[in-house]
Amino acid sequence: MALANAKDTCTALVLAGGGSNGAWEAGVLWGLTHYGNPEDFAYDWITGVSAGAINTAALSGWPTGSEKEASEWLSYTMSTFTTHDIWVEWPDTTIEEAITTKPSILNDEPAVATFTEIFKEP
C-alpha cells in the first residue's frame, strides 16, 4: 500500500570534509542553485562530515524551496571566515608540547565561538 503523498525518490546531499573545502562546497552549491534547476536541489536529507557537517548545520535551518537563498547566505558566510575564526596556535606552546599536553595541535576554541554566533537563534 503506497502513501497518498509519497514520492518515488528520496534525494540526499552528502558533503565531504576537509577544512577549507567547506568554502569550496558552498561555492559549488551556489553555482548549482543559480545555474541549474533549483527544484533539482531540493534535498530530502543533508549530511556531512567535518567542514561538510558545518555546511549541513548551516543549510538545515532553511526550509525546502529556499535552496537558492540558503546557498547565497552560506557562500557569503564562508567568504567572511578567516583562519583565526576557526583556530589559533596555543600561546607559549611548541608543537611538541601541544602534541603531548593539549587535546590537539591547534586550539579550536575560536571555531566554537564563531559557530555559536552564526547558528544562534534570532
Side-chain angles (χ1 to χ4, degrees):
M1 173 192 243
L3 296 173
N5 293 327
K7 295 183 348 180
D8 291 334
T9 62
C10 178
T11 305
L13 174 64
V14 179
L15 300 172
S20 60
N21 285 339
W24 176 86
E25 284 177 342
V28 169
L29 290 169
W30 186 97
L32 292 172
T33 59
H34 283 75
Y35 297 114
N37 178 356
E39 292 178 12
D40 291 340
F41 306 103
Y43 303 105
D44 299 305
W45 294 92
I46 303 173
T47 187
V49 63
S50 192
I54 293 167
N55 287 342
T56 296
L59 294 171
S60 69
W62 294 82
T64 300
S66 60
E67 290 76 20
K68 190 172 186 178
E69 294 84 0
S71 73
E72 290 169 353
W73 177 84
L74 181 60
S75 182
Y76 171 78
T77 300
M78 282 294 193
S79 73
T80 65
F81 284 160
T82 66
T83 298
H84 291 118
D85 291 326
I86 308 301
W87 61 264
V88 293
E89 293 181 9
W90 293 104
D92 304 319
T93 305
T94 65
I95 291 177
E96 292 81 11
E97 290 172 326
I99 290 170
T100 58
T101 64
K102 303 290 184 187
S104 63
I105 294 176
L106 300 168
N107 179 351
D108 65 356
E109 289 177 13
V112 174
T114 297
F115 297 127
T116 299
E117 179 65 24
I118 289 170
F119 298 133
K120 72 180 179 186
E121 289 190 44

